[in-house]
Amino acid sequence: MTAALPELAEIERDALTEIVNIGVGRAARNLSTMIRSPVQLSVPRVELLPLARAAELLARRSGHSLVAVSQDFQGSFSGRALLIFPEENSLELVRAVVGDGMDIDEIIDLEQEALAEIGNVILNGCLVVVANMLRHGLSMSLPRVVRGSSRLVMADPAGPADGDCVLFLRIDFSVAARDIDGYIALLMDLPSLAALRLLIGDFVAGIADGAAGA
Amino acid sequence: MSGGDQLSGGLALALLDQLSGGVVLLGADRRVRVWNRWMEQAARLPAGRARGATLEELFPAVASTRLPGAVEDALGTGAASLLTHSLNPALLPLALPDGGPLLHSVVVRPVDAPGGRACLLQVEDQTATVLRERVLRERGNARYRAIVDTAPEAIVTIDPAGTIQSANDAVSAQFGYGPDELVGRPVGLLLADPAAGQRAWGEASGGPGHGAMLELAGRRRDGTTFDLEVSLGGWASQGRRFLTAILRDVSARKRAEDALRRLNATLEARVEERTAQLRRAADEARRAEEALLQSQKMEAVGQLTGGMAHDFNNLLQAMQACLQLVARKTRDLPEVEPLLDAGRQAVDRGASLVSQLMAFSRKQTLRPKAFDIRDALLGMRGLLDRAIRADIHLEFGFGPGLSPVLADPVQFELAVLNLVVNARDAISADGRIVVSARNRDLDGVGPERLSGRFVEVSVADNGSGMPDDVAQRVFEPFFTTKAVGKGTGLGLSQVYGFCRQSGGTATVTSAAGRGTTVCLVLPASAAAPAQAGPALSALKPGAGARVMFVEDDPVVGPIIATALEELGYSVARFATGEEARAFLVAGGEVDVLFTDMVMPGGVSGISLARAARALRPELPILLTTGYSEEVAGAEEFALLPKPYKVEELSDALDQALRGQGA
């Protein structure tokens, strides 16, 4: 399983990191528009990990109580995108987005849908940019919120498949003077990963051509 | 178009109009293709006008929302978006039939139809849900806030990360932060040791029952810390866990507890101390009682002695005068002289004894005058040498520039003699007594608060000394360490009485085995010491002056009268004040009035003197008494204390006659 997982070449990793950063940059703009307050999002580094390893890493870094916004995507590569936080940060994230004036009970009441929308904005931002950059359409489902352990939030409803892998990205939020860490995980099967790598390869070649052309 | 026509023309459109939610379909050109009836009503916009327009054209405010971006993502990429009422309030200008705002969420989805991709907007009415939630929340909150906002304790709700999610009004009084300032901040902000607090928090929140009581140190906004008692209770809301912490300032209680603990810890010591205090108080009371008894005893002794002294003085006076007369009559019989001397010495010792008795009853007549201490002490040398033993060495030491003192020189000499004798008795063999004098400038010293220039005369011995408890009592009358018959116990009390009466004091320092030093502190005199006057004059001839002599004592009267006549005076003697006054009133001829002060009958010596002064202001008056209490109030008259020598009487009369009395 682990051995079967291909390594990302440095250039592929850089290209993905770049693409995802453009995506979260767009998501940050959308969030800023929505809440009328500056939002900064950044993704320092992309890692490619087997599903089990990603779940283990997540548990170690963020504890066992997690909340995730999940969206399925389908196209030339398919899978599931997750925005994951330690559950204890989620109220803070919601409060950061809706403002301090709100009562804790109100925040609890709207936490679920607010998280769903925040996740939706961020995941759409990433996936749309990835899809546009790679010039391949993706259809994306509406978001849903999942709570539980890393294993649970990452579990494929269709059951774990050998060789499933995760593009695992840490994401830093800076909203309303708060810094909140979370993760973006793109869960794919190996064929989807292969397709993605292919698209990335084309993208890199395109940039090289463009550079040579210029 | 054909796909849309098929839909709009058929059942599908009728169905859309029946939906209880808004349905808007945008074509790839972003223009409205479908606008259902719900939308017509909510937006007050007929489908006929909506169709063919873009959302931005219909609702310009939409441009600044996330909606156009979501439409782009749906059409361009195929992404679905959720725009919630919570994060996108008033996304579209929709209203309820009654005109109130229609709260809504919008879901944006791509629709891939045969004619190309379109974008579906579903608008959901959230008004009822939001209002119901709000009502429920407010109903629940009203009760909660009524309790929480009026509580004197700070109450904060904390999420599992330790972030404060709500705080009541009491936090501002207790911590100095406003409730809104605390929301979103870590609870460690309120604790002196945030790390320890956070740990305690974690244990409490994870523990069974999710409740705990912690004692922590709180920290106010200004950095001051205080004792905090924290009650933690866990609760869950919609699957989320929270802790509610009630933070109580218990510094006052802590202080009380600490005080109590300290009190308990020192209970034994305090009981002992209190017992000792009570014992000391009891001792004090006993000493006070003893002192009272002592003073009552002294008062009685004083009255007794005073009375006796008067009579004794009269007897001595008579004897002295007798001896004087005998001496004059036997001037030619030298063999009588030693007998007379012995008689005179006996009278002197009697006078001295009376004087001592008067001294400790503090009723002696002091005749203070300025004198030189050095002269007085050196003059006593012979006397002192005889008083001590051959194995004792007597030394004198004088400080420079000794001031003269103002005191009764006779009493002073008696006091020094007394001290030297005591010192002698304290030395068993081969000792040393040092008599020294020096000036001392005092400034409110001792219990008597003495201030000014004094001369301190000390008598120090290297004898056996006294333990402290004895040294403290040596000035008490009748206190003696000597064997019965060896001393009266009056000596040091006389010394003390003399010093106090002179305006000074006496102190004693002693330690067993290390000798004793007694200091007499006497006021310095501003006046120069009187020159040792010429020896009492040879008897002055009375020159026939007429003396009016009033004396009730049947012994003294005749003898003094005889002595006066021997001196050449002409004497008119009276035994009572009444007789004397009558004589004056009657115009009896007289040159000087000499009267005893204490006499039986209605007219005392003073009354008589005052009457005489009133009758004959120019008449010289001389008073005499052996009883000093009477002296007070008679300061205007010249006074000759008893017992007096005939020569002294002659001098005093002479001075009175020459107008030098008083």
Side-chain angles (χ1 to χ4, degrees), chain A residues 26 33-34 87 90-92 95 98 104-106 109 111 113 117 120-121 124 128 132 138-140 142, chain B residues 64 66 73 77-84 86-88 107 109 137 141 161 163 165 183 238 240 242:
Chain A
R26 186 166 171 279
T33 306
M34 196 166 80
E87 189 175 31
S90 77
L91 274 187
E92 271 316 283
R95 191 190 290 284
V98 300
I104 178 66
D105 300 308
E106 274 178 275
D109 281 349
E111 181 196 3
E113 62 178 21
E117 185 170 346
N120 182 222
V121 170
N124 273 3
V128 164
N132 289 350
L138 281 178
S139 85
M140 282 160 264
L142 279 175
Chain B
S64 66
R66 206 193 131 206
D73 286 351
T77 313
S81 293
L82 167 68
L83 287 82
T84 65
S86 314
L87 301 189
N88 306 271
V107 173
R109 285 179 215 267
R137 193 162 55 229
N141 275 358
T163 304
Q165 293 294 348
V183 171
Q238 299 182 12
R240 303 198 55 98
F242 290 95

Side-chain angles (χ1 to χ4, degrees), chain B residues 338-354:
Chain B
L339 297 174
L340 286 173
D341 274 348
R344 284 193 203 102
Q345 274 179 27
V347 169
D348 283 348
R349 279 182 57 194
S352 154
L353 193 60
V354 168

Side-chain angles (χ1 to χ4, degrees), chain B residues 71-105:
Chain B
V71 169
E72 288 309 311
D73 286 351
L75 289 172
T77 313
S81 293
L82 167 68
L83 287 82
T84 65
H85 150 73
S86 314
L87 301 189
N88 306 271
L91 189 65
L92 298 171
L94 306 181
L96 293 170
D98 65 3
L102 194 157
L103 310 178
H104 56 278
S105 302

